[in-house]
Amino acid sequence: MMATLELTPSLDSLVDEDEISHTVVQQLNSIFGNDLKNLEKVSELVEELTKTRDELEKRLRFATTEAPDKITKAVKAAEEALSKEKSLEEECNNLQEQANAHTQKYDDLLNDIGPGVRQVRELERVKLYQEFVSAVDEQSKEIEAALHIGAEGQALVGYCRLMDTTKAVQGSHCLNLVAFVTNTLLYWHQVFTLRFTSEFEGVLKTIKWPFTTGNDTVHQPPASPESLQRLCTLTQYLLQLSLPDNITSENSKRPESPVASPAIVTDFVSPVLPIHLLVRPLEVRFFFHFSGNKPTNSRENPEWYFTQILKWISAHENFLNSRIQPVLNRLGHQNTSAKVEFMRGLVRLVVIKLAADLPDVQFDDDIFCSTVQETLNFEREMSLTYGYPSSQPSVLSVLTQGRIFARWIHVERKFAQELMDELVSDEGAWVAVEGGEAAHCGERLILLLQGITDRYKRLPQPGHRLQFLELQLELLDDFRVRVLQVMKSERQDPLTSHYPAILNTVHHITATLHDWADLPFFVEMQYYQECFSNIQEQTSAAIASYDSTTASSTSPDDPGSFTFNSLDVSLLNSSISPELLARQDALDTLNVNAEVPTTAQLTEVLGSVFDGTMKLYTHIEGEMVRTLASYVFSEVRARSQPYRQDKWFHTVNPGASMDFTKINELSPSICPLLEVLARHLHALRDVLAAPLFMQLWKIVADTLNKYVYEEVILQTRFSDVGAAQFKFDMTRGIFPIFGAFTQKPENFFRLVKESVILLTLPHPTAFLLRDTIHMWHDDQDAFSLVVSPVKALGEHGVTLLKPKEADTVLNIRINERD
């Protein structure tokens, strides 16, 4: 069991060489103590002499500027200082000679003592080394004796002490000693592991683990309290067998799976040993049923093994939480969840199976789509129902592998485009269920996009999510082009065709995208899209720099000419375009380096991922609303010709001159205009969404307001009777039609409203107002101190018309007295 030791003289990690030097220094201090003190005294005298010299020089300088008597005193003091200096120098030389004599006397003695001291220290190191080895050997014997009498707890205490000893010697330069202690620890680790693992598996059989039955609902079978207690005890023992992080051995490796594991499972950290032993029977069953020629191994039915894994988790969840988790908590593993460790072990089995099947089924679209969908459903069920953390490796890692992910994107695009062709070409594609709602194809497009979002929103890497987002934007743009084609064919008769339904669909898509843009998921996608754009710009600049450097280099093989290190040179020289290469490299960089954005970073995000698409759809929406409004107005204008030809300047006889204030009937010529206007507006209100119809009637009102002002009011002259009749036609004819849509329709006909005010003013007031406008126009400076025409017009409720325009309206009035 024990390894043979090789005792070498270089055991410098146990005894420090500085101890010998320390001993020699102590002996020198005892021998030369007095001499050293004398030397210190000499040093003090030399320092004093130096100060005396400085003082002498200072006095001499002073003496050159003072009286001769002071100079004499200074010279005398200098002579005394020089005399003192000579005596001190002689004393210093005597002390130096004595110190040299003592040093010479004891040099030979030190040369004889040194080797002996080093040999003694070397023997002490050897003794300490042997004591350390004996201590490790003694610990091994204690463990062996405890196991022999069945004292497993005491044996584990010795094992823990041995592990502490192993940790303590890891930094030593005594490599043989480190290897001896480490091998001893690994030996006992193997002994304990085999012993406890064997018994642990036996107890699992006793309690009939795993808990599987033929029923859908699986309950924990009855087990004796002794068996359950022993299982918990063994779990505790196995947890204590963990090796230090820097110590691994072939003996400590877990048994491999029954089938070959792909490289992708390296992301799965092996669970703690007790959980690994709990998963292993299920692992054997899984690969027995879902590999080889077993009937249950059907690639056309991937849901079989997904469902089986979920059943196993459900069946063992309560046992893990009530029996295993308390043991982990007692041993300081509160941050380790038995349930999560167990689920990760089972997810690893699914990853191995999925990675083996997908390359074979990826070219069968139906099976591939079914497998992808079942994988996504499994991952969602694991997260939402069983609380599997997103930080743990999942089955989605298989779907995001190079070729598989590219195939997934391709299939999504293919089926989406086929579905869109079917949506648009269907007979009822542009038929709405109810008025104001989007057509069937618009609703189904939203469902298609929502389905794509649900499938990719849980992908761990932002670069993969961005590629799906680009697919959604492509589909929206494709649908927009189809809408334009259909819209052009339907706008010849927009009121009786599918034109309103198309408009509702465009509006519904725009509103939906606006709502989606505020969702946290798409805000985060906008953040990643900005990061991706920045990375892509840097990558493109680096590629351009590389190309320019290569083109200007005289030696293409010069390594110094290559300045862009993140891409392979062979790819740069391939047929792939620089733009596509920069894009792919930016996506890879984003997948590797992207971090989850903080709330502060998300609040700084500007715009949304749908801004460009919404802008295009909003443009179509505005164009279609204007087309409908133009159609309605063209119908109204066609019916307005008789009304425009009415004689508004006719007068009445003097006896009936006041009867015009009692007009209570509309002009007969305006009735066709009002009829078509009311009919079209009410028909559009029933078929258009409320926001769209609001835009439409406001456009119609604004256009009609300008038309009446320019083509009716300004193109004729009005008598008092004509003005009164025109006012009645407006306030009792046109305004009430729009009164069904707003409380104050006259506010949308301000040109007409203010013109009517001016046309129906009393004659004195109208003359005074017109004179005010003329006077202000002729001499603005002189008249500005009295009153402005703007203020005068405002007093009568005319605020939109400018003074010049108001004067024009006043001038078309007919003075019947004239």
Side-chain angles (χ1 to χ4, degrees), residues 568-580:
D568 188 78
V569 182
S570 62
L571 288 177
L572 289 173
N573 295 330
S574 66
S575 59
I576 301 177
S577 65
E579 293 79 9
L580 182 60

Side-chain angles (χ1 to χ4, degrees), residues 38-52 84-85 87-93 95:
N38 292 330
L39 289 174
E40 292 176 355
K41 185 176 180 181
V42 171
S43 299
E44 294 176 358
L45 292 174
V46 171
E47 185 178 356
E48 184 178 355
L49 178 60
T50 303
K51 294 181 179 178
T52 304
K84 187 177 180 179
E85 178 186 4
S87 62
L88 291 175
E89 186 175 359
E90 292 176 357
E91 186 177 357
C92 178
N93 293 332
L95 292 174

